[in-house]
Amino acid sequence: MMNHFIISKSNLQPFGQSEVKLTEQWNLTIQGKKYHDYNDTGTRIIVIGDYIGKKEDLFTTETNDIPKLRGNFYAIIIKNEKIKIYSSFLNILPIYHTVDNTYISSSVELIRKNSKANFSIDKKFILEILLFNYGFFNRTLYQDIQLVPCNYFLELQLEVVTMHKHFETASLFTQTSLKKQKKVNDLSTLFIKTTKFYFPETPFDIAFTSGFDGRTLVSCATYHNKDFKTFSFGKSNNDDVTIPKKNAEDLNIKYQYFDLGKKTYIDQDYYTNAKEYIKQYPGANGFIYSHFLYSTKKIATDTNYLLSGVIGSELFRALHITGAVTSKSLADIFISNTPQEIRNKISSSPAIKHLKKEEFETDLEELIQELITYKDSISKNLTKNQQFYTFVFEEVFRKFFGQWISMQMNHINVRTPFLDFKFITELLKTKYAGANNDFFTENPLKRMKGQYLYTDIIKKTNSKIYHQKTGKGYRPKDLRESIYIYKIIIPFLLKRFKRKTKTPNLDNLSIISGVLANKHHIKKCLEDVEYTYFDFSSINKMLDNLSPYTPEKERDSLLMMISVILAIKNNSLTNSKK
């Protein structure tokens, strides 16, 4: 479990439990006592979160390389009355600061609690999250609170706060031929060795679903003879429940699932956790990810560590479809060949059609110009796919997956073996990295390259898992032997056919059931709102028409708007109390 922190000027009195004096000008307040305070030869390093390594490594590593060390953590370094504040690799954990640099914190809500200011809503941020599902730039819901960019740290000297870049993401991508490269054997061996650092000595849980990420970690954990349990969540007939449950039985490992079809979850827990998620992360789609918070709390009652396979798929396989991780608007920016194309596609996006256009006209025009400028700024020495992956590494990983990790770490230590600097560095030198594939390729044979690495890891670590069927409809073994290629092609074609001929039921996580069961609460929130950002008649109509067969993008758009409305309402209530 990670305690949130806030750094403020010494003349302010922040809310919290543990106050630490950093310099004459700055104090650190931590909401709890779960942190480490190290001193060595005039240097002091305060670590908050789950740093995986030795104390000595913190002091022998170059300061700007500390984020490359293992774990999800913050490092606050004090030397010669100068303070440096880092987040671990790719700033996966957020650092927020007020525009006037009065407050610096791991939590937007902690800043709002401590500040006497009334925060105004940032309309460009609303546009960003509706278009992309997360902020494109470093805005937050509040104009006066910003997010520190990826690969940047803050430096505090006397009362002056400056921001500095410590790493270039583009340096990870190779510009040379991939023909003479490390073999898959070297990468799989490296990953197996790497996981050993992440598996704790005490019992832990692994998120085990129907895909490859979780089962690869399970396979490595059995290889290293670790004491662990597995879990997943969903309705009882969900593939992410039925498949790992059967796999775990065959492997004779402990497994539990959190039944999201239970009446108590749908009627009570869903809405309660959605509201809490939104309060912790204003602007996040709490109505889509309520189950993450719910299951994390359950796991945390019995263990201190959760092993997560997040970003594995995004590292290994080329992103190829639009959805929650990569929205259509995001794809449009990178697919478009001219600034005018970007302007046309963004301005006409269905994702923003339920806004009051007159309220956002200027903000939308300014945002579009910022998006055009951003794309133009990306290195032209990279391939088109690597240009896209620059955004994935710098923004998607920390704003989409980092949001989950940060939320979960309020309750439990989350370890992410795929997010390892040394492993990622070696992976990106090879054809097995999604970044080195074709741009938005849908060719299953080309996308298999990344999955091949999974299979080599599994083959070396657990023969049973190597032969078990996944939610893809095939076994890891089938990816390695050409005689089984039909087992990959046929499920791929069947899925494409089914998508075109059958409307899917999207209630496998009880998202729709939870919303409909609590529709009266949601409608009450909409009725109480007194501002004019949204067309509430169309939102109410969408809510009334919501069903398990509502298209996924329409469902997600609706629930994002409701999440934003609830977050804005929370802000209004907080402002009224100041």
Side-chain angles (χ1 to χ4, degrees):
M1 177 179 174
M2 181 182 72
N3 296 131
H4 281 296
F5 72 87
I6 186 165
I7 295 173
S8 58
K9 293 184 177 179
S10 300
N11 61 330
L12 299 172
Q13 295 298 320
F15 164 81
Q17 296 178 18
S18 299
E19 188 170 304
V20 180
K21 185 173 183 178
L22 300 179
T23 65
E24 288 298 322
Q25 293 79 23
W26 299 94
N27 286 343
L28 165 69
T29 303
I30 304 174
Q31 287 192 312
K33 298 188 177 181
K34 295 189 175 179
Y35 66 94
H36 297 280
D37 195 342
Y38 303 117
N39 282 276
D40 193 314
T41 61
T43 300
R44 183 183 184 189
I45 301 179
I46 297 172
V47 176
I48 302 168
D50 183 36
Y51 164 63
I52 306 169
K54 299 175 183 177
K55 166 191 167 182
E56 292 74 23
D57 293 340
L58 292 168
F59 290 94
T60 56
T61 300
E62 286 289 331
T63 305
N64 281 350
D65 288 335
I66 284 178
K68 299 173 186 176
L69 299 176
R70 294 186 173 103
N72 297 312
F73 63 92
Y74 297 98
I76 301 169
I77 303 166
I78 307 100
K79 185 175 183 180
N80 299 328
E81 292 294 299
K82 183 186 294 184
I83 305 167
K84 294 182 179 181
I85 306 163
Y86 292 89
S87 172
S88 48
F89 186 43
L90 296 176
N91 286 51
I92 205 72
L93 299 179
I95 303 173
Y96 301 100
H97 64 100
T98 53
V99 173
D100 65 2
N101 291 319
T102 303
Y103 293 102
I104 298 160
S105 180
S106 58
S107 165
V108 168
E109 277 304 285
L110 202 49
I111 291 177
R112 292 202 326 125
K113 279 182 181 178
N114 283 279
S115 176
K116 295 178 181 178
N118 287 332
F119 291 105
S120 300
I121 300 301
D122 192 323
K123 289 191 287 184
K124 285 185 189 175
F125 180 76
I126 293 176
L127 288 168
E128 288 177 20
I129 59 175
L130 292 180
L131 288 164
F132 308 112
N133 302 319
Y134 37 78
F136 192 98
F137 296 105
N138 294 300
R139 299 181 176 94
T140 71
L141 187 61
Y142 314 110
Q143 289 182 4
D144 295 320
I145 303 177
Q146 298 268 304
L147 179 65
V148 172
C150 183
N151 299 327
Y152 277 77
F153 69 95
L154 294 180
E155 183 175 274
L156 287 58
Q157 190 166 19
L158 298 178
E159 294 192 354
V160 177
V161 179
T162 53
M163 196 180 296
H164 306 276
K165 195 166 192 176
H166 62 78
F167 183 69
E168 285 286 351
T169 303
S171 67
L172 290 168
F173 300 123
T174 181
Q175 307 300 314
T176 58
S177 170
L178 300 176
K179 291 180 180 179
K180 294 181 180 180
Q181 59 177 293
K182 288 195 173 184
K183 296 180 180 178
V184 70
N185 175 63
D186 299 323
L187 280 176
S188 58
T189 298
L190 174 62
F191 185 78
I192 293 165
K193 289 179 179 177
T194 297
T195 59
K196 193 170 184 180
F197 292 103
Y198 288 85
F199 294 142
E201 294 303 317
T202 56
F204 56 91
D205 275 67
I206 299 178
F208 187 19
T209 62
S210 61
F212 276 96
D213 299 325
R215 72 184 53 243
T216 301
L217 296 184
V218 169
S219 190
C220 290
T222 61
Y223 177 81
H224 291 302
N225 296 312
K226 292 297 180 178
D227 183 1
F228 69 97
K229 306 190 302 295
T230 61
F231 75 95
S232 66
F233 42 71
K235 287 186 173 180
S236 58
N237 60 347
N238 186 344
D239 278 356
D240 279 340
V241 171
T242 57
I243 291 174
K245 183 179 181 182
K246 176 67 167 58
N247 291 164
E249 287 174 359
D250 294 342
L251 294 166
N252 195 30
I253 59 177
K254 296 175 184 177
Y255 168 83
Q256 63 176 325
Y257 87 94
F258 300 109
D259 186 359
L260 303 183
K262 288 196 308 183
K263 184 173 174 56
T264 53
Y265 174 77
I266 291 171
D267 291 348
Q268 300 169 26
D269 297 320
Y270 169 81
Y271 188 62
T272 299
N273 284 281
K275 288 192 300 179
E276 184 179 337
Y277 198 118
I278 293 163
K279 189 169 184 180
Q280 288 183 28
Y281 299 94
N285 199 338
F287 287 102
I288 288 290
Y289 302 116
S290 174
H291 57 280
F292 269 98
L293 183 54
Y294 170 77
S295 60
T296 300
K297 290 176 182 176
K298 294 286 188 183
I299 291 295
T301 62
D302 195 40
T303 184
N304 291 322
Y305 295 95
L306 188 162
L307 270 289
S308 171
V310 295
I311 81 154
S313 296
E314 288 67 32
L315 281 175
F316 292 179
R317 295 184 296 148
L319 295 171
H320 70 299
I321 57 173
T322 57
V325 179
T326 51
S327 71
K328 184 178 183 306
S329 294
L330 180 63
D332 285 341
I333 290 172
F334 287 89
I335 291 170
S336 296
N337 293 314
T338 67
Q340 191 58 45
E341 277 188 71
I342 294 175
R343 187 179 303 280
N344 293 342
K345 288 177 179 178
I346 296 299
S347 61
S348 62
S349 171
I352 57 175
K353 70 179 182 179
H354 301 290
L355 293 171
K356 293 285 185 70
K357 289 188 178 180
E358 62 274 16
E359 283 284 334
F360 289 86
E361 188 174 354
T362 301
D363 297 281
L364 179 58
E365 177 56 34
E366 290 176 356
L367 176 61
I368 290 172
Q369 189 55 52
E370 290 175 18
L371 296 171
I372 291 169
T373 302
Y374 169 82
K375 185 180 179 183
D376 190 55
S377 70
I378 301 175
S379 172
K380 303 302 184 291
N381 294 324
L382 302 175
T383 67
K384 193 169 187 177
N385 200 41
Q386 288 174 339
Q387 289 178 355
F388 174 62
Y389 263 82
T390 298
F391 183 87
V392 171
F393 271 68
E394 292 187 346
E395 311 301 341
V396 176
F397 284 173
R398 67 190 181 113
K399 292 172 182 173
F400 188 85
F401 300 108
Q403 180 190 114
W404 293 352
I405 294 166
S406 182
M407 177 275 297
Q408 290 177 312
M409 286 191 69
N410 292 330
H411 305 275
I412 195 169
N413 293 309
V414 180
R415 295 193 169 180
T416 49
F418 290 105
L419 191 64
D420 183 89
F421 175 77
K422 291 181 180 177
F423 174 71
I424 289 176
T425 299
E426 294 305 314
L427 173 68
L428 287 170
K429 296 175 183 176
T430 75
K431 66 181 181 181
Y432 300 105
N436 295 332
N437 212 320
D438 292 345
F439 180 62
F440 262 71
T441 179
E442 289 198 27
N443 185 329
L445 299 181
K446 287 189 175 182
R447 298 185 73 247
M448 277 170 50
K449 287 187 291 187
Q451 288 183 310
Y452 192 88
L453 178 53
Y454 284 124
T455 66
D456 206 62
I457 296 167
I458 293 171
K459 183 181 181 182
K460 290 178 178 179
T461 51
N462 193 300
S463 177
K464 280 190 175 181
I465 296 177
Y466 185 62
H467 290 83
Q468 288 179 332
K469 187 177 286 190
T470 70
K472 301 289 184 183
Y474 48 81
R475 307 167 299 173
K477 175 184 172 73
D478 299 332
L479 285 159
R480 295 179 59 87
E481 301 182 28
S482 58
I483 61 170
Y484 297 118
I485 193 70
Y486 71 93
K487 292 190 176 184
I488 297 162
I489 300 298
I490 290 174
F492 171 79
L493 295 174
L494 286 174
K495 282 186 178 181
R496 292 196 71 170
F497 178 75
K498 190 180 289 185
R499 281 205 302 264
K500 292 182 178 180
T501 59
K502 187 178 179 181
T503 304
N505 184 317
L506 296 178
D507 202 31
N508 57 323
L509 297 172
S510 290
I511 293 170
I512 306 296
S513 295
V515 170
L516 295 179
N518 293 278
K519 188 160 74 169
H520 58 296
H521 294 305
I522 294 170
K523 289 223 168 191
K524 184 68 168 61
C525 285
L526 299 181
E527 289 169 3
D528 290 345
V529 175
E530 298 179 357
Y531 41 83
T532 57
Y533 292 159
F534 296 91
D535 180 350
F536 286 100
S537 62
S538 64
I539 292 176
N540 274 299
K541 186 176 180 181
M542 290 174 71
L543 187 55
D544 288 336
N545 293 334
L546 186 67
S547 81
Y549 301 98
T550 298
E552 185 175 7
K553 290 176 184 176
E554 185 179 321
R555 177 204 70 181
D556 291 0
S557 181
L558 169 65
L559 298 184
M560 178 61 90
M561 286 188 289
I562 295 172
S563 294
V564 173
I565 290 167
L566 189 54
I568 295 174
K569 184 177 179 181
N570 290 340
N571 181 63
S572 299
L573 291 172
T574 302
N575 285 346
S576 67
K577 293 176 182 177
K578 291 182 178 179

